[in-house]
Amino acid sequence: MANHVLGICTECTKTNGEEFCLECEVILCSKCKLSHLKRKSNKKHHVDKSYSKILDKRPSCLIHSKEVVFYCSSCCLLICPSCMLEKHKQHDVDEIENAVSKKKEGISSEIVDLESRSENVKQIVEDLNVFEEAYKIDNAILKKVIKVRGDTLKALIDKHTETLVERVTLEESSQMTRKSEEVNKLEDIKLLCDLQIERLKGSLENTKDIDILLSYGEWEEDVQHVKTREISEFKPIPPIRFIEPGKDEETINELFGAVEIGFFKLQEGDHVRIKLSVTEPINGWGDVTHDSIGTVRGVNDDIVTVDFKEFSGWEALVSEVELVKSGNEEQ
């Protein structure tokens, strides 16, 4: 049977020591043991391979120079019989062997408690790591949803912008056409008026008085024909305005949506679906998919019961589903 190695030899500091000098309290290898005992002062020293002798060696009482045989739990001191009689009569005193046994039991109990605590902490860390992965997946999906929402609204805004610009362009074109038609009519009337003015001025200057009387009826008829041409007043062109909505953050959130941070509390009637980060619900799928939307029937602690079209009474952890629409929104 192999000898028990106590440590590195204290004297040569190179070889494993298997023996112990009780008087000098040093570890010795077999070679150093011989030289150690050859010294005159060490001839009566006890060098032994038994490791238990090291443990059994007890210190002496500092007051009475006697071997200690008791342990005072009240003072946390090793004491000799004289000490017990003098100062520790009413204290919690026990023999060293019993005290050691009790302390070992206490240590063993503490080890069990600490091991349990360590395992509990390990499990919490593992749960946190799993949560972190699911949390990041949920947020990655949320970022995509927000981006898609933004892209969709951008496309709608671009289309709406084109529609509004086209409407303004068409209205402008229509009004300019109407204006041109009115101007043409007025210019025709002005031309007829100018022609008659020149004709009448010429008649006054070049026609004899008798001929004026004879031609007046014809001239009057031509003038009346010009005067009967209606001169309509041009109606003002109605202005085109752009009515801007509110520019505050609340208006933008109402149009686009907003990000909320916090725990939501599911209620009966809420519409939910399974989070995309959930690969396998705790109670299985049961024909339900990530695209399924169901109505909450009830919530009991961390378990939610949902009625899906594919599965009525489906149960899962609250953390496995996400709110699609609150039941209050339908009211």
Side-chain angles (χ1 to χ4, degrees), residues 26-39:
V26 294
I27 299 172
L28 301 169
C29 63
S30 57
K31 184 178 179 180
C32 290
K33 170 189 175 181
L34 297 176
S35 59
H36 185 78
L37 293 177
K38 284 181 180 180
R39 297 173 194 158

Side-chain angles (χ1 to χ4, degrees), residues 304-318:
V304 59
T305 303
V306 185
D307 288 331
F308 287 100
K309 180 180 178 182
E310 302 87 347
F311 193 118
S312 180
W314 185 84
E315 292 186 344
L317 294 173
V318 171

Side-chain angles (χ1 to χ4, degrees), residues 142-154:
L142 181 60
K143 291 174 186 177
K144 289 182 179 179
V145 169
I146 293 173
K147 188 176 185 304
V148 169
R149 174 67 173 166
D151 292 342
T152 301
L153 282 179
K154 286 177 185 177

Side-chain angles (χ1 to χ4, degrees), residues 7 17 29 53 60 72 98 122 127 149 176 183 198 201 204 222 248 251 261 267 283 302 313:
C29 63
K53 288 189 176 182
S60 298
C72 177
N98 292 335
K122 177 185 175 183
D127 291 344
R149 174 67 173 166
M176 291 303 99
V183 168
E198 291 297 323
K201 284 182 178 180
L204 289 174
D222 290 341
D248 59 316
T251 303
I261 300 174
Q267 297 179 347
N283 291 324
D302 60 344

